[in-house]
Amino acid sequence: MKIVVIYGGKSAEHDISILTAFSIIKEIYFDYYQVQPVYITRSGQWLKGAPLTGPLAFEEALPLVASDKAAFATEPGQVSTGVEIKPCDIKEADTVIFPILHGPNGEDGTIQGLFEVLNMPYVGAGVLASACGMDKIVSKYLFQQAGIPQLPFVPFSKAEWKQNAELIYSRIEGTLLYPVFVKPANMGSSVGISKATNREELTQAIQTALKFDRRIVVEQGIDAREIECAVLGNEDVNTSVVGEVVKTVGFYDYNEKYINNTVELQIPAQLSDEVAQKVRKYAATAFRAIDGSGLSRCDFFLTETNDIYINEVNTMPGFTKFSMYPLLWEETGISYKDLVEELIQLALKRFAEKQENQVTV
């Protein structure tokens, strides 16, 4: 069977996708699969790399340059090449797609719709779950409906901001207390997110967020621990032990997470059994609320009084060597390799069940 690994993409999380792809390709069982890399450039060009029968030696080989021949670099400094293809050219028999794409056009249901049209099995959430999980505003409404506690928030659009900024200020400052966090509705990995402690910082934070999305959500800041739980499954939802992002600074932005790597993870988190079980229950509820499948990482805030608030659900969490998701499952008893294999099998199972549900008239 062939595993088509799609990575890169047009979003601001392009580089994270490459790091994740390198880690996952390294852990695929090559005794059973051949890997077909497909790289999406920052401009949206699709390049098909040479088939792999083993892992690559270094991640710098993954970005491809268009050529009439596909070949991966064997030494640092060399350029890897790929042949330009159309998105529909990925369709082949006995193939599973592993989309390792973060952010818009990759994690928001867009590319999942392509896979559905091609009628191919793929790892991860479907169109609806991807779109809802990616959209911080829509997911908050779903969590609210599901009865999962969350912090107060104020959503608004770029058009509303341009039309009447004072009204937006009034909504935010009349509902929330400083500090607040300003986020693009559809980004991940802390891209475009800023903390604001006054109106001047709020204005700058909104302007920054609007560079990434036309819809913004401002959330109440809180002094709390950041805890995370991994979810795995389709209809049969399984949750991992709970981990914690131990903060040494007030807020981890993109650079701190992926460039400076100052994030410290504590797995398992030091929690009472009661709190841990409640977090796992909320994670499973959130997964079902967005109609999740395959995998997700659910992020929460935990206060000193053990109040739990959901932050967000990530339907394609990072798989880099620094990433929480695979580490949580390793602590729970599933190795990295077996986790990748389980995701492939879940994709095949979901696809087979969907074929059974198709009715012809």
Side-chain angles (χ1 to χ4, degrees):
M1 181 172 287
K2 182 179 290 186
I3 308 297
V4 176
V5 175
I6 303 179
Y7 60 99
K10 295 171 65 176
S11 84
E13 298 175 79
H14 181 98
D15 292 338
I16 304 169
S17 173
I18 294 173
L19 291 173
T20 304
F22 177 75
S23 297
I24 289 178
I25 290 173
K26 188 176 180 180
E27 302 299 337
I28 285 177
Y29 283 109
F30 281 96
D31 290 344
Y32 305 102
Y33 305 111
Q34 181 186 73
V35 172
Q36 175 59 68
V38 174
Y39 174 61
I40 303 177
T41 68
R42 295 180 188 275
S43 63
Q45 185 182 31
W46 287 54
L47 300 176
K48 185 177 182 179
L52 297 174
T53 56
L56 292 166
F58 47 93
E59 65 196 40
E60 292 80 9
L62 280 173
L64 306 177
V65 174
S67 176
D68 58 356
K69 184 178 180 181
F72 277 103
T74 56
E75 296 180 7
Q78 293 180 340
V79 176
S80 298
T81 58
V83 178
E84 185 173 6
I85 62 170
K86 297 177 182 178
C88 60
D89 291 338
I90 62 174
K91 184 173 177 61
E92 291 186 51
D94 298 321
T95 298
V96 177
I97 300 171
F98 208 132
I100 308 169
L101 297 164
H102 304 294
N105 297 318
E107 198 178 345
D108 59 358
T110 305
I111 203 165
Q112 286 76 14
L114 169 66
F115 305 149
E116 294 288 352
V117 171
L118 295 178
N119 197 35
M120 294 185 67
Y122 58 94
V123 170
V127 175
L128 178 65
S130 297
C132 292
M134 188 68 192
D135 193 301
K136 293 179 176 64
I137 298 173
V138 171
S139 61
K140 285 181 180 299
Y141 290 136
L142 291 174
F143 299 151
Q144 190 176 62
Q145 186 68 26
I148 307 173
Q150 57 188 329
L151 294 168
F153 62 96
V154 175
F156 61 93
S157 67
K158 184 176 184 179
E160 290 175 314
W161 170 253
K162 285 189 172 183
Q163 184 177 7
N164 193 337
E166 284 301 322
L167 178 60
I168 301 301
Y169 284 133
S170 177
R171 287 173 54 193
I172 295 171
E173 295 174 338
T175 306
L176 312 176
L177 299 173
Y178 290 111
V180 297
F181 285 90
V182 182
K183 304 178 179 181
N186 284 277
M187 286 300 298
S189 299
S190 298
V191 174
I193 298 179
S194 304
K195 180 180 180 180
T197 60
N198 53 53
R199 174 155 317 181
E200 182 180 355
E201 292 178 357
L202 176 64
T203 303
Q204 182 59 49
I206 291 172
Q207 292 172 347
T208 297
L210 286 172
K211 294 177 182 178
F212 297 93
D213 202 346
R214 64 178 183 82
R215 295 164 61 249
I216 305 300
V217 59
V218 182
E219 301 174 355
Q220 177 63 61
I222 188 174
D223 184 14
R225 298 163 65 183
E226 296 184 17
I227 56 178
E228 302 181 349
C229 181
V231 183
L232 181 69
N234 292 335
E235 300 297 330
D236 51 333
V237 181
N238 301 288
T239 58
S240 72
V241 300
V242 180
E244 180 176 359
V245 178
V246 182
K247 295 188 290 185
T248 57
V249 298
F251 168 58
Y252 285 109
D253 60 11
Y254 176 92
N255 286 335
E256 293 300 324
K257 284 184 176 180
Y258 296 101
I259 306 302
N260 300 330
N261 187 30
T262 59
V263 177
E264 180 184 342
L265 306 180
Q266 185 175 80
I267 304 172
Q270 295 182 355
L271 306 171
S272 68
D273 290 342
E274 180 182 0
V275 170
Q277 288 303 316
K278 187 176 290 188
V279 169
R280 296 176 73 163
K281 179 181 177 182
Y282 283 149
T285 301
F287 187 76
R288 293 189 177 100
I290 65 169
D291 190 31
S293 57
L295 72 163
S296 283
R297 193 196 68 233
C298 299
D299 301 347
F300 299 87
F301 298 120
L302 178 66
T303 68
E304 289 185 351
T305 54
N306 285 335
D307 292 318
I308 302 167
Y309 301 100
I310 191 167
N311 180 22
E312 62 183 7
V313 169
N314 190 324
T315 58
M316 185 51 70
F319 266 84
T320 71
K321 59 184 179 180
F322 312 123
S323 298
M324 177 74 88
Y325 187 84
L327 294 175
L328 285 172
W329 282 116
E330 186 174 342
E331 181 66 25
T332 308
I334 303 178
S335 70
Y336 200 138
K337 280 186 177 294
D338 288 341
L339 179 60
V340 172
E341 175 63 19
E342 178 64 17
L343 290 171
I344 293 170
Q345 294 303 318
L346 285 170
L348 289 168
K349 182 178 179 181
R350 179 172 176 267
F351 181 74
E353 291 174 347
K354 186 169 183 178
Q355 302 310 299
E356 293 176 359
N357 293 334
Q358 290 182 352
V359 178
T360 57
V361 178

